[in-house]
Amino acid sequence: MNRLSISLLLAAIAFSPASAQDFKVTVKTAQEPIHSGKYKPTMESLSDYECPEWFEDAKLGLWAHWGVQCAPEDGDWYARIMYEQGSQPYRYQLATMGHPSKVGFKDWIPRWKAENWNPDSLVALYKRCGAKYFVAMANHHDNFDNYDSKYQPWNSVNMGPKTDIIARWAAAAKHYGLPFGVSVHLAHAWTFYEKAQGSDKTGPLAGVPYDGRLTKADGKGTWWEGYDIQDLYEQRHQVSKDNSKWDWETDYVTTPDQAYCDRVYNRTVDLINKYDPQMIYFDDTFVPLWPISDCGLKILSHFYNKNMAEHKGRNEAVATGKVLTEDQKKTEVWDVERGVPDDIQPRHWQTCTCIGSWHYDKWRYYDNTYKTPDQVIDMFIDIVSKNGNLLLNIPVKSDGTIDPTERSIVEEIGHWLDINGESIFATRPWVKFGEGPSTGKNNAIKQQGFNEGNITMGAQDIRFTKKGNALYVSLLGVPQTDIVVKSLSKGGLLKAKIKNVEMLGSKEKPQWHQAVDGLHIARPATVPCTEAVVYKITTNKKL
């Protein structure tokens, strides 16, 4: 090779957006080949992704973030925090199961029976109450697959409920005509159980190892005999310097090995091939194992290519990731966890949040600390006004049911949507998302989100959406005085003539007039709902 050829080769490598040289681990695809098609596993190839119209129109998805960690009904991340001496899950483990040196998280699996689970009934409820897509958790950081997994023997068919959870959720979603999604959280199992390699620091069992170091041989004579516990706990590696860090490229985290990265790839592609989801939620910064491995890029290209082959060359697939750069937002949908950006986004995006804890927490029910319907609806309207969707988790109990409070919250959201759904579904943002006291306050997103609830919204706060020749004006509460919508002043932002003003769900004809300081609407005598009140402004042309 001559000097010019070498220079050209080096230049190509330097400018390649995702060449093999960039990754510590390049996954092997022989067992689960990437579907052929338009997309290659590079940033450059994936960057012409466009969010499908069905997802932009849908606005509301409901989510069953349900798995074996719901068996204790003691909140999120139980499988990790139960190994932190003194924590609530640790104390609960001692009280209900025993010390984690003898009875670890694995021993919750036989207790998760899902004995009262009726997926058809739950999905029917969600469809009736306004959901336009449904998402089920395929696996969590606890590394347990909720489906008939080819590459993970610790799965819901072999143990626990002994049924294919994802297959049955998918069948229910199909029955009710809802696009079906799966959430994939498994990449961080590598560090999630690292605390299980530890031990108590004080007390009578100080220094006695927890069960994180057990092997397949230790299972002889137990309920898990024949299974390798390390296929679940993934602790065949040195503990990270700081396993609270979740950024793979840092020196604090032990780099996942080839075998682990291959398993993440194979399990996820197997999931896609078996259940044909239309949406995948990645609980990752961008995609799984980014940027140490090309695993996530290969999964993404396979997912898109397979979907296009099934939709006559159209990509109807949605993948979501967190903490995205502007370039990464060109390859998938940005997901904001428990938060909302402060302005309209040029690309469609999604908020994921929960009415309580991500995994079912009975204390939320006992203490009545769920989000209220009013809080959910206000947040939902705010999200839609900024070009987003809401993916709302309704935590499922160990037995497969939801509690009475959760059901009433879902039904109240559905009641509000029965009246006001036209201001939400298939709408698009207007020239500004809103006005009022909450719009001028700084509420920056922290990492993947986590800014919900920092700003109080009320009836003086207004949000806008549009559809056809209608502008929807949503008041985040019930007005106690006459209303002035400053953004709709004469000669202002609205470049159309107002023909009519009406309140959705009401037969009352509101008194209104447009002036230089805004659109004036008289306080209504009655309102059709106790949460947000919505006015439909009909104009003389398409907005």
Side-chain angles (χ1 to χ4, degrees), residues 387-428:
N387 203 27
N389 280 18
L390 171 62
L391 177 61
L392 182 66
N393 175 43
I394 308 299
V396 180
K397 297 170 64 178
S398 178
D399 71 350
T401 63
I402 61 174
D403 67 44
T405 303
E406 292 178 301
R407 182 174 291 272
S408 68
I409 292 169
V410 172
E411 289 175 342
E412 185 59 31
I413 294 168
H415 173 68
W416 185 87
L417 284 169
D418 284 343
I419 297 168
N420 300 292
E422 74 166 91
S423 69
I424 295 291
F425 302 122
T427 62
R428 296 295 183 267

mmCIF file of all heavy atoms in Angstrom, residues 387-428:
data_model
loop_
_atom_site.group_PDB
_atom_site.id
_atom_site.type_symbol
_atom_site.label_atom_id
_atom_site.label_comp_id
_atom_site.label_asym_id
_atom_site.label_seq_id
_atom_site.Cartn_x
_atom_site.Cartn_y
_atom_site.Cartn_z
ATOM 1 N N ASN A 387 -44.815 19.530 21.556
ATOM 2 C CA ASN A 387 -44.531 18.558 20.495
ATOM 3 C C ASN A 387 -44.128 17.198 21.043
ATOM 4 O O ASN A 387 -43.361 16.461 20.411
ATOM 5 C CB ASN A 387 -43.449 19.072 19.535
ATOM 6 C CG ASN A 387 -43.523 18.404 18.169
ATOM 7 O OD1 ASN A 387 -44.581 17.967 17.745
ATOM 8 N ND2 ASN A 387 -42.395 18.335 17.483
ATOM 9 N N GLY A 388 -44.654 16.821 22.204
ATOM 10 C CA GLY A 388 -44.276 15.564 22.815
ATOM 11 C C GLY A 388 -45.428 14.603 23.033
ATOM 12 O O GLY A 388 -46.599 14.945 22.861
ATOM 13 N N ASN A 389 -45.064 13.391 23.405
ATOM 14 C CA ASN A 389 -45.997 12.354 23.850
ATOM 15 C C ASN A 389 -45.777 12.095 25.324
ATOM 16 O O ASN A 389 -44.693 12.353 25.862
ATOM 17 C CB ASN A 389 -45.742 11.029 23.111
ATOM 18 C CG ASN A 389 -46.336 10.981 21.723
ATOM 19 O OD1 ASN A 389 -46.663 12.007 21.148
ATOM 20 N ND2 ASN A 389 -46.440 9.797 21.171
ATOM 21 N N LEU A 390 -46.778 11.514 25.977
ATOM 22 C CA LEU A 390 -46.656 11.062 27.351
ATOM 23 C C LEU A 390 -46.755 9.545 27.384
ATOM 24 O O LEU A 390 -47.741 8.968 26.933
ATOM 25 C CB LEU A 390 -47.770 11.656 28.224
ATOM 26 C CG LEU A 390 -47.891 11.092 29.650
ATOM 27 C CD1 LEU A 390 -46.621 11.362 30.455
ATOM 28 C CD2 LEU A 390 -49.113 11.658 30.359
ATOM 29 N N LEU A 391 -45.713 8.887 27.909
ATOM 30 C CA LEU A 391 -45.750 7.460 28.204
ATOM 31 C C LEU A 391 -45.876 7.329 29.713
ATOM 32 O O LEU A 391 -44.945 7.639 30.458
ATOM 33 C CB LEU A 391 -44.488 6.758 27.703
ATOM 34 C CG LEU A 391 -44.384 5.253 28.014
ATOM 35 C CD1 LEU A 391 -45.541 4.487 27.366
ATOM 36 C CD2 LEU A 391 -43.047 4.698 27.550
ATOM 37 N N LEU A 392 -47.047 6.900 30.162
ATOM 38 C CA LEU A 392 -47.388 6.906 31.586
ATOM 39 C C LEU A 392 -47.417 5.489 32.138
ATOM 40 O O LEU A 392 -48.202 4.649 31.678
ATOM 41 C CB LEU A 392 -48.751 7.575 31.785
ATOM 42 C CG LEU A 392 -49.249 7.705 33.219
ATOM 43 C CD1 LEU A 392 -48.362 8.663 34.019
ATOM 44 C CD2 LEU A 392 -50.703 8.197 33.240
ATOM 45 N N ASN A 393 -46.574 5.236 33.134
ATOM 46 C CA ASN A 393 -46.549 3.929 33.766
ATOM 47 C C ASN A 393 -47.612 3.833 34.858
ATOM 48 O O ASN A 393 -47.702 4.693 35.732
ATOM 49 C CB ASN A 393 -45.167 3.668 34.377
ATOM 50 C CG ASN A 393 -45.113 2.368 35.147
ATOM 51 O OD1 ASN A 393 -45.629 1.346 34.693
ATOM 52 N ND2 ASN A 393 -44.490 2.379 36.317
ATOM 53 N N ILE A 394 -48.392 2.760 34.786
ATOM 54 C CA ILE A 394 -49.343 2.409 35.837
ATOM 55 C C ILE A 394 -48.788 1.147 36.494
ATOM 56 O O ILE A 394 -48.920 0.045 35.954
ATOM 57 C CB ILE A 394 -50.761 2.148 35.266
ATOM 58 C CG1 ILE A 394 -51.223 3.319 34.375
ATOM 59 C CG2 ILE A 394 -51.741 1.895 36.397
ATOM 60 C CD1 ILE A 394 -51.316 4.657 35.084
ATOM 61 N N PRO A 395 -48.130 1.257 37.660
ATOM 62 C CA PRO A 395 -47.452 0.102 38.249
ATOM 63 C C PRO A 395 -48.419 -1.053 38.518
ATOM 64 O O PRO A 395 -49.532 -0.846 39.007
ATOM 65 C CB PRO A 395 -46.871 0.654 39.557
ATOM 66 C CG PRO A 395 -46.794 2.132 39.353
ATOM 67 C CD PRO A 395 -47.955 2.480 38.469
ATOM 68 N N VAL A 396 -47.965 -2.253 38.195
ATOM 69 C CA VAL A 396 -48.779 -3.458 38.356
ATOM 70 C C VAL A 396 -48.314 -4.220 39.593
ATOM 71 O O VAL A 396 -47.122 -4.375 39.829
ATOM 72 C CB VAL A 396 -48.685 -4.346 37.102
ATOM 73 C CG1 VAL A 396 -49.529 -5.607 37.258
ATOM 74 C CG2 VAL A 396 -49.128 -3.564 35.860
ATOM 75 N N LYS A 397 -49.261 -4.679 40.375
ATOM 76 C CA LYS A 397 -48.954 -5.430 41.591
ATOM 77 C C LYS A 397 -48.357 -6.801 41.257
ATOM 78 O O LYS A 397 -48.429 -7.263 40.119
ATOM 79 C CB LYS A 397 -50.225 -5.593 42.418
ATOM 80 C CG LYS A 397 -50.842 -4.290 42.916
ATOM 81 C CD LYS A 397 -52.213 -4.491 43.518
ATOM 82 C CE LYS A 397 -52.160 -5.357 44.765
ATOM 83 N NZ LYS A 397 -53.512 -5.502 45.377
ATOM 84 N N SER A 398 -47.825 -7.438 42.267
ATOM 85 C CA SER A 398 -47.211 -8.750 42.082
ATOM 86 C C SER A 398 -48.178 -9.742 41.440
ATOM 87 O O SER A 398 -47.795 -10.533 40.574
ATOM 88 C CB SER A 398 -46.731 -9.305 43.427
ATOM 89 O OG SER A 398 -46.173 -10.587 43.280
ATOM 90 N N ASP A 399 -49.451 -9.682 41.818
ATOM 91 C CA ASP A 399 -50.415 -10.675 41.316
ATOM 92 C C ASP A 399 -50.932 -10.357 39.922
ATOM 93 O O ASP A 399 -51.725 -11.112 39.366
ATOM 94 C CB ASP A 399 -51.577 -10.839 42.294
ATOM 95 C CG ASP A 399 -52.514 -9.636 42.341
ATOM 96 O OD1 ASP A 399 -52.184 -8.577 41.755
ATOM 97 O OD2 ASP A 399 -53.579 -9.738 42.981
ATOM 98 N N GLY A 400 -50.509 -9.221 39.336
ATOM 99 C CA GLY A 400 -50.918 -8.877 37.983
ATOM 100 C C GLY A 400 -52.093 -7.934 37.885
ATOM 101 O O GLY A 400 -52.594 -7.667 36.783
ATOM 102 N N THR A 401 -52.548 -7.377 39.009
ATOM 103 C CA THR A 401 -53.650 -6.423 39.011
ATOM 104 C C THR A 401 -53.129 -5.023 39.329
ATOM 105 O O THR A 401 -51.987 -4.852 39.752
ATOM 106 C CB THR A 401 -54.718 -6.809 40.045
ATOM 107 O OG1 THR A 401 -54.133 -6.765 41.363
ATOM 108 C CG2 THR A 401 -55.247 -8.213 39.779
ATOM 109 N N ILE A 402 -53.969 -4.025 39.124
ATOM 110 C CA ILE A 402 -53.673 -2.677 39.595
ATOM 111 C C ILE A 402 -54.614 -2.371 40.754
ATOM 112 O O ILE A 402 -55.701 -2.950 40.856
ATOM 113 C CB ILE A 402 -53.793 -1.622 38.475
ATOM 114 C CG1 ILE A 402 -55.207 -1.557 37.900
ATOM 115 C CG2 ILE A 402 -52.777 -1.908 37.371
ATOM 116 C CD1 ILE A 402 -55.411 -0.425 36.887
ATOM 117 N N ASP A 403 -54.196 -1.469 41.640
ATOM 118 C CA ASP A 403 -55.009 -1.216 42.829
ATOM 119 C C ASP A 403 -56.148 -0.242 42.521
ATOM 120 O O ASP A 403 -56.169 0.391 41.453
ATOM 121 C CB ASP A 403 -54.127 -0.760 44.001
ATOM 122 C CG ASP A 403 -53.486 0.602 43.800
ATOM 123 O OD1 ASP A 403 -54.177 1.540 43.345
ATOM 124 O OD2 ASP A 403 -52.283 0.756 44.129
ATOM 125 N N PRO A 404 -57.119 -0.104 43.420
ATOM 126 C CA PRO A 404 -58.291 0.741 43.152
ATOM 127 C C PRO A 404 -57.944 2.201 42.875
ATOM 128 O O PRO A 404 -58.606 2.845 42.037
ATOM 129 C CB PRO A 404 -59.125 0.599 44.428
ATOM 130 C CG PRO A 404 -58.711 -0.705 45.023
ATOM 131 C CD PRO A 404 -57.262 -0.858 44.694
ATOM 132 N N THR A 405 -56.949 2.740 43.562
ATOM 133 C CA THR A 405 -56.575 4.138 43.323
ATOM 134 C C THR A 405 -56.019 4.314 41.920
ATOM 135 O O THR A 405 -56.358 5.275 41.210
ATOM 136 C CB THR A 405 -55.548 4.615 44.364
ATOM 137 O OG1 THR A 405 -56.089 4.448 45.678
ATOM 138 C CG2 THR A 405 -55.197 6.081 44.151
ATOM 139 N N GLU A 406 -55.162 3.395 41.500
ATOM 140 C CA GLU A 406 -54.619 3.462 40.141
ATOM 141 C C GLU A 406 -55.729 3.402 39.101
ATOM 142 O O GLU A 406 -55.731 4.165 38.123
ATOM 143 C CB GLU A 406 -53.641 2.309 39.917
ATOM 144 C CG GLU A 406 -52.368 2.398 40.730
ATOM 145 C CD GLU A 406 -51.470 1.206 40.490
ATOM 146 O OE1 GLU A 406 -51.901 0.063 40.739
ATOM 147 O OE2 GLU A 406 -50.332 1.421 40.052
ATOM 148 N N ARG A 407 -56.664 2.498 39.305
ATOM 149 C CA ARG A 407 -57.768 2.378 38.351
ATOM 150 C C ARG A 407 -58.573 3.676 38.278
ATOM 151 O O ARG A 407 -58.944 4.124 37.178
ATOM 152 C CB ARG A 407 -58.676 1.207 38.747
ATOM 153 C CG ARG A 407 -59.833 0.959 37.789
ATOM 154 C CD ARG A 407 -60.599 -0.295 38.166
ATOM 155 N NE ARG A 407 -59.809 -1.486 37.923
ATOM 156 C CZ ARG A 407 -59.763 -2.143 36.760
ATOM 157 N NH1 ARG A 407 -60.497 -1.712 35.733
ATOM 158 N NH2 ARG A 407 -59.025 -3.217 36.633
ATOM 159 N N SER A 408 -58.818 4.296 39.416
ATOM 160 C CA SER A 408 -59.605 5.535 39.413
ATOM 161 C C SER A 408 -58.843 6.666 38.715
ATOM 162 O O SER A 408 -59.448 7.508 38.039
ATOM 163 C CB SER A 408 -59.985 5.938 40.834
ATOM 164 O OG SER A 408 -58.853 6.330 41.585
ATOM 165 N N ILE A 409 -57.516 6.697 38.863
ATOM 166 C CA ILE A 409 -56.703 7.715 38.174
ATOM 167 C C ILE A 409 -56.811 7.534 36.665
ATOM 168 O O ILE A 409 -57.034 8.495 35.916
ATOM 169 C CB ILE A 409 -55.241 7.646 38.644
ATOM 170 C CG1 ILE A 409 -55.123 8.093 40.104
ATOM 171 C CG2 ILE A 409 -54.338 8.510 37.755
ATOM 172 C CD1 ILE A 409 -53.769 7.810 40.732
ATOM 173 N N VAL A 410 -56.647 6.298 36.205
ATOM 174 C CA VAL A 410 -56.746 6.019 34.770
ATOM 175 C C VAL A 410 -58.133 6.391 34.254
ATOM 176 O O VAL A 410 -58.279 7.015 33.190
ATOM 177 C CB VAL A 410 -56.449 4.529 34.484
ATOM 178 C CG1 VAL A 410 -56.741 4.190 33.017
ATOM 179 C CG2 VAL A 410 -54.997 4.202 34.806
ATOM 180 N N GLU A 411 -59.158 6.037 34.991
ATOM 181 C CA GLU A 411 -60.530 6.331 34.548
ATOM 182 C C GLU A 411 -60.806 7.825 34.521
ATOM 183 O O GLU A 411 -61.519 8.318 33.630
ATOM 184 C CB GLU A 411 -61.522 5.602 35.446
ATOM 185 C CG GLU A 411 -61.512 4.093 35.228
ATOM 186 C CD GLU A 411 -62.400 3.341 36.202
ATOM 187 O OE1 GLU A 411 -62.761 3.932 37.256
ATOM 188 O OE2 GLU A 411 -62.733 2.167 35.927
ATOM 189 N N GLU A 412 -60.241 8.591 35.468
ATOM 190 C CA GLU A 412 -60.451 10.041 35.475
ATOM 191 C C GLU A 412 -59.738 10.696 34.297
ATOM 192 O O GLU A 412 -60.264 11.632 33.681
ATOM 193 C CB GLU A 412 -59.975 10.637 36.800
ATOM 194 C CG GLU A 412 -60.268 12.119 36.957
ATOM 195 C CD GLU A 412 -61.754 12.451 36.869
ATOM 196 O OE1 GLU A 412 -62.583 11.606 37.253
ATOM 197 O OE2 GLU A 412 -62.078 13.569 36.406
ATOM 198 N N ILE A 413 -58.537 10.203 33.980
ATOM 199 C CA ILE A 413 -57.850 10.704 32.780
ATOM 200 C C ILE A 413 -58.693 10.408 31.544
ATOM 201 O O ILE A 413 -58.848 11.247 30.648
ATOM 202 C CB ILE A 413 -56.448 10.071 32.658
ATOM 203 C CG1 ILE A 413 -55.543 10.545 33.804
ATOM 204 C CG2 ILE A 413 -55.807 10.412 31.310
ATOM 205 C CD1 ILE A 413 -54.250 9.769 33.929
ATOM 206 N N GLY A 414 -59.271 9.203 31.506
ATOM 207 C CA GLY A 414 -60.131 8.839 30.389
ATOM 208 C C GLY A 414 -61.367 9.707 30.298
ATOM 209 O O GLY A 414 -61.791 10.085 29.188
ATOM 210 N N HIS A 415 -61.952 10.048 31.436
ATOM 211 C CA HIS A 415 -63.127 10.933 31.440
ATOM 212 C C HIS A 415 -62.767 12.299 30.876
ATOM 213 O O HIS A 415 -63.522 12.862 30.065
ATOM 214 C CB HIS A 415 -63.659 11.065 32.864
ATOM 215 C CG HIS A 415 -64.748 12.080 33.020
ATOM 216 N ND1 HIS A 415 -66.000 11.923 32.478
ATOM 217 C CD2 HIS A 415 -64.753 13.296 33.648
ATOM 218 C CE1 HIS A 415 -66.741 12.985 32.758
ATOM 219 N NE2 HIS A 415 -66.005 13.827 33.476
ATOM 220 N N TRP A 416 -61.596 12.827 31.274
ATOM 221 C CA TRP A 416 -61.178 14.127 30.757
ATOM 222 C C TRP A 416 -60.956 14.056 29.248
ATOM 223 O O TRP A 416 -61.347 14.966 28.504
ATOM 224 C CB TRP A 416 -59.904 14.589 31.465
ATOM 225 C CG TRP A 416 -59.481 15.969 31.070
ATOM 226 C CD1 TRP A 416 -59.900 17.144 31.623
ATOM 227 C CD2 TRP A 416 -58.589 16.317 30.007
ATOM 228 N NE1 TRP A 416 -59.321 18.219 30.963
ATOM 229 C CE2 TRP A 416 -58.507 17.735 29.972
ATOM 230 C CE3 TRP A 416 -57.849 15.590 29.096
ATOM 231 C CZ2 TRP A 416 -57.714 18.426 29.053
ATOM 232 C CZ3 TRP A 416 -57.056 16.269 28.165
ATOM 233 C CH2 TRP A 416 -56.998 17.661 28.145
ATOM 234 N N LEU A 417 -60.349 12.963 28.775
ATOM 235 C CA LEU A 417 -60.090 12.824 27.341
ATOM 236 C C LEU A 417 -61.376 12.619 26.550
ATOM 237 O O LEU A 417 -61.461 13.035 25.385
ATOM 238 C CB LEU A 417 -59.122 11.672 27.095
ATOM 239 C CG LEU A 417 -57.662 11.973 27.424
ATOM 240 C CD1 LEU A 417 -56.825 10.699 27.415
ATOM 241 C CD2 LEU A 417 -57.083 13.000 26.454
ATOM 242 N N ASP A 418 -62.383 11.991 27.144
ATOM 243 C CA ASP A 418 -63.671 11.865 26.462
ATOM 244 C C ASP A 418 -64.220 13.240 26.087
ATOM 245 O O ASP A 418 -64.855 13.410 25.039
ATOM 246 C CB ASP A 418 -64.681 11.147 27.364
ATOM 247 C CG ASP A 418 -64.442 9.648 27.449
ATOM 248 O OD1 ASP A 418 -63.720 9.105 26.591
ATOM 249 O OD2 ASP A 418 -64.972 9.017 28.389
ATOM 250 N N ILE A 419 -63.964 14.211 26.941
ATOM 251 C CA ILE A 419 -64.460 15.574 26.712
ATOM 252 C C ILE A 419 -63.494 16.381 25.852
ATOM 253 O O ILE A 419 -63.903 17.109 24.941
ATOM 254 C CB ILE A 419 -64.675 16.292 28.065
ATOM 255 C CG1 ILE A 419 -65.755 15.572 28.875
ATOM 256 C CG2 ILE A 419 -65.029 17.766 27.866
ATOM 257 C CD1 ILE A 419 -65.834 16.014 30.323
ATOM 258 N N ASN A 420 -62.209 16.242 26.123
ATOM 259 C CA ASN A 420 -61.216 17.166 25.558
ATOM 260 C C ASN A 420 -60.205 16.530 24.614
ATOM 261 O O ASN A 420 -59.241 17.183 24.208
ATOM 262 C CB ASN A 420 -60.456 17.828 26.715
ATOM 263 C CG ASN A 420 -61.373 18.605 27.639
ATOM 264 O OD1 ASN A 420 -61.930 19.619 27.258
ATOM 265 N ND2 ASN A 420 -61.550 18.106 28.862
ATOM 266 N N GLY A 421 -60.419 15.267 24.265
ATOM 267 C CA GLY A 421 -59.439 14.551 23.459
ATOM 268 C C GLY A 421 -59.121 15.197 22.133
ATOM 269 O O GLY A 421 -57.988 15.081 21.634
ATOM 270 N N GLU A 422 -60.066 15.904 21.524
ATOM 271 C CA GLU A 422 -59.776 16.514 20.223
ATOM 272 C C GLU A 422 -58.717 17.609 20.312
ATOM 273 O O GLU A 422 -58.077 17.950 19.323
ATOM 274 C CB GLU A 422 -61.044 17.051 19.571
ATOM 275 C CG GLU A 422 -61.611 18.321 20.162
ATOM 276 C CD GLU A 422 -62.652 18.961 19.238
ATOM 277 O OE1 GLU A 422 -63.850 18.640 19.386
ATOM 278 O OE2 GLU A 422 -62.269 19.791 18.393
ATOM 279 N N SER A 423 -58.502 18.149 21.515
ATOM 280 C CA SER A 423 -57.459 19.159 21.700
ATOM 281 C C SER A 423 -56.082 18.528 21.891
ATOM 282 O O SER A 423 -55.073 19.242 21.973
ATOM 283 C CB SER A 423 -57.765 20.031 22.921
ATOM 284 O OG SER A 423 -57.630 19.300 24.126
ATOM 285 N N ILE A 424 -56.043 17.187 21.977
ATOM 286 C CA ILE A 424 -54.807 16.448 22.234
ATOM 287 C C ILE A 424 -54.403 15.605 21.032
ATOM 288 O O ILE A 424 -53.329 15.798 20.449
ATOM 289 C CB ILE A 424 -54.987 15.541 23.478
ATOM 290 C CG1 ILE A 424 -55.212 16.392 24.739
ATOM 291 C CG2 ILE A 424 -53.795 14.614 23.635
ATOM 292 C CD1 ILE A 424 -54.004 17.183 25.184
ATOM 293 N N PHE A 425 -55.248 14.653 20.651
ATOM 294 C CA PHE A 425 -54.871 13.660 19.644
ATOM 295 C C PHE A 425 -54.781 14.275 18.251
ATOM 296 O O PHE A 425 -55.634 15.068 17.843
ATOM 297 C CB PHE A 425 -55.878 12.508 19.653
ATOM 298 C CG PHE A 425 -55.988 11.830 20.990
ATOM 299 C CD1 PHE A 425 -57.196 11.749 21.662
ATOM 300 C CD2 PHE A 425 -54.858 11.277 21.592
ATOM 301 C CE1 PHE A 425 -57.299 11.121 22.897
ATOM 302 C CE2 PHE A 425 -54.946 10.653 22.829
ATOM 303 C CZ PHE A 425 -56.165 10.579 23.487
ATOM 304 N N ALA A 426 -53.716 13.893 17.540
ATOM 305 C CA ALA A 426 -53.471 14.335 16.156
ATOM 306 C C ALA A 426 -53.310 15.849 16.033
ATOM 307 O O ALA A 426 -53.477 16.404 14.954
ATOM 308 C CB ALA A 426 -54.577 13.842 15.229
ATOM 309 N N THR A 427 -52.990 16.514 17.142
ATOM 310 C CA THR A 427 -52.717 17.952 17.084
ATOM 311 C C THR A 427 -51.222 18.182 16.860
ATOM 312 O O THR A 427 -50.412 17.264 16.939
ATOM 313 C CB THR A 427 -53.137 18.656 18.384
ATOM 314 O OG1 THR A 427 -52.382 18.135 19.479
ATOM 315 C CG2 THR A 427 -54.627 18.477 18.640
ATOM 316 N N ARG A 428 -50.885 19.460 16.636
ATOM 317 C CA ARG A 428 -49.503 19.869 16.504
ATOM 318 C C ARG A 428 -49.308 21.164 17.309
ATOM 319 O O ARG A 428 -50.278 21.870 17.610
ATOM 320 C CB ARG A 428 -49.130 20.112 15.035
ATOM 321 C CG ARG A 428 -49.196 18.867 14.147
ATOM 322 C CD ARG A 428 -48.183 17.821 14.552
ATOM 323 N NE ARG A 428 -48.189 16.646 13.670
ATOM 324 C CZ ARG A 428 -48.897 15.539 13.880
ATOM 325 N NH1 ARG A 428 -49.686 15.460 14.953
ATOM 326 N NH2 ARG A 428 -48.831 14.522 13.050
#
